[in-house]
Amino acid sequence: MLEEVRACQACADLPLGAKPVLQASATARLLIAGQAPGTRAHDSGIPFSDASGEQLRRWMGIAEADFQDPARVAIIPMGLCYPGRAASGGDAPPRRECAPLWREALLEQLPRIEMTLLVGTYAQDHVLGSGRMTDRVRAFRDYLPEYFPLPHPSWRSRGWMTKNPWFEQEVLPELRRRVQQLAQVRDGSLV
């Protein structure tokens, strides 16, 4: 199925063309649902292969090689291809047709997933319905054990984290604990 998804041309009209970026394996117990790959991920074909990925790995307490191991961590964004730039300057939202086209079929192939990190508003809205990201992240325990809502780990999250110190104090320790349980992490590396 991954070959079929990676050959998808439904978004061929995007500025950089169609190039689905994801990773998955039937053995993964942890799923990361983000919004869409950025330009670096598009170029490399590796999900979260940018500064946002570095920040997310720090939040999770996981080494890069382990994070990129599809046998342990599946990464399926709401939009599988880089959506281009928004008029406001950031990346455009994920294409609406992508998640309905592929998401459920992909998730059916991941029977061992125990927890999904909902990274950013687009992933949270798709899975949980409309709502405020900050409220969801603050109430993360309400969504456990199935979901763990997080802000998007872009450079913009630094200001948000300054305004919301509870995120580092309360949310990140629990995130790391749960990631370690699911992925058997020790000292930032999977065993």
Side-chain angles (χ1 to χ4, degrees):
M1 178 166 199
L2 286 174
E3 288 177 23
E4 184 181 349
V5 171
R6 287 186 176 119
C8 178
Q9 291 296 303
C11 297
D13 62 329
L14 287 170
L16 299 181
K19 184 179 178 182
V21 178
L22 71 158
Q23 70 181 40
S25 168
T27 61
R29 295 172 61 200
L30 180 63
L31 171 63
I32 298 172
Q35 61 183 42
T39 54
R40 287 190 184 165
H42 173 87
D43 291 343
S44 70
I46 300 169
F48 281 106
S49 57
D50 55 16
S52 293
E54 291 172 23
Q55 177 73 295
L56 182 57
R57 290 190 299 275
R58 279 193 296 274
W59 288 352
M60 295 169 65
I62 190 170
E64 182 176 3
D66 300 322
F67 179 86
Q68 293 173 351
D69 180 358
R72 303 219 181 202
V73 178
I75 302 175
I76 302 174
M78 295 300 114
L80 299 175
C81 298
Y82 172 66
R85 303 290 290 170
S88 62
D91 288 344
R95 292 280 288 259
R96 292 182 187 265
E97 66 269 29
C98 191
L101 184 62
W102 293 113
R103 187 162 181 73
E104 289 306 315
L106 285 165
L107 294 180
E108 288 174 8
Q109 304 300 313
L110 304 175
R112 297 190 64 206
I113 296 297
E114 294 180 38
M115 185 173 71
T116 301
L117 306 185
L118 299 174
V119 180
T121 303
Y122 293 110
Q124 292 170 21
D125 285 353
H126 181 83
V127 174
L128 304 174
S130 189
R132 291 189 59 224
M133 184 273 299
T134 298
D135 294 340
R136 290 177 177 148
V137 173
R138 181 167 273 232
F140 73 94
R141 287 180 181 88
D142 295 346
Y143 303 100
L144 294 172
E146 190 173 5
Y147 300 113
F148 203 119
L150 295 169
H152 191 279
S154 72
W155 62 270
R156 291 180 178 103
S157 65
R158 285 186 224 134
W160 181 88
M161 289 172 63
T162 301
K163 293 177 188 173
N164 298 285
W166 50 265
F167 177 70
E168 286 187 272
Q169 297 162 1
E170 300 170 28
V171 178
L172 291 185
E174 185 64 18
L175 173 66
R176 290 180 185 126
R177 187 181 75 74
R178 289 182 179 270
V179 167
Q180 288 172 2
Q181 286 177 338
L182 288 174
Q184 300 172 347
V185 175
R186 290 193 188 134
D187 301 323
S189 295
L190 294 172
V191 293

